[in-house]
Amino acid sequence: MSAAYATFGLAPATRAGGLLAGGDHQLHRDFLDFVVDGRPLLFRLCDLEAVSPLASDVPPSIFTAQVRSLLLETGPPLPAGRFVVYGCPECEDLACGAVTAVIEDDGEDVVWRDFAWQTGPHADLELNGYHGIGPFRFRGAEYRAALAALLNGDAPGARRRVLLIGARVALLARLAAALRTIGIGADIAQDADGVPADELRAYGAVVFGRSTGAGERENVRRALTTAGVDVPCVDGLAPIVPLLVAQTEQALDASPQGRRRLTDLTAAPGAAGLEVTSACRVRLTAYRVDRLSRTHARDLFDGVLEPGRHRVPLDAGAVRGEAYVVARAGGTVLVTRVGR
């Protein structure tokens, strides 16, 4: 085994939730990703939506147990010294599939090796091994310090609660229900007057309904500034709940630009333009409002794209009139209006 060292760290990451075009939904999950040599380890797995065991929404006792397991203070949860590195974001059941690896002490060092896709008690390295990933040798002091800090209260966390502002209460109620379905709390108000500063500080974003006037929006922004709250304010593009959910997801993403799989999205009637930072599965969905104010949704693309700039042709019928495109890749959600 190579004696060369890799660096080890942890960084906040997100598996974005959302309402999908077919009516299904996926949960929003915040977690800590493993950063190896300055790059999220998950980015090496191009077609995988998964979360690490260090998720913010697990009970504190389970979170602590996961940390101590990775510190090798307890025995491995799987045979042959294997640990779950990434699991299913919906249920975390091994039967759904997980990325596992052998984690072991080697003198003062810690080694991660023999990465594999596993759906049962035992991993078949020949059939399901990730032969291009690892082994990684970490300096023990660096590795243990990063994980031990989590036991001192430095656990992952995010303000996964939003304030919805607007007069169309029925639409906002549907939006709030949809957000709660994917794990994001939501409160509804016509304005921010009288909302205590401590409550305003609990929100990670503010979403304005399209009917909210410019003066009302300015009053809300002023209240946030007075309370010392610096959060994104989202102008709702259209009264389409899945589209508003996607806008909210985008606003809540506080990860550094360099750790996002999608960094740009544009759309015109003929094609969408995307910037991809690492090989990943990308899904494009179009939403539009017709002349009778009816909403329509259509899946446009679902496939793996390599790093770089891409042009994806769009079906003209799916983006005619007032139309919008939502792109999803791993933990990143981007929304754009179709230009004319």
Side-chain angles (χ1 to χ4, degrees), residues 45 106 118:
L45 306 167
D106 186 11
Q118 191 168 340

Side-chain angles (χ1 to χ4, degrees), residues 159 161 187 194-203 223-224 226-229:
R159 288 181 291 183
R161 193 168 195 84
D187 298 314
V195 180
D198 286 347
E199 289 188 22
L200 289 177
R201 295 189 189 104
Y203 297 111
L224 293 171
T226 301
V229 178

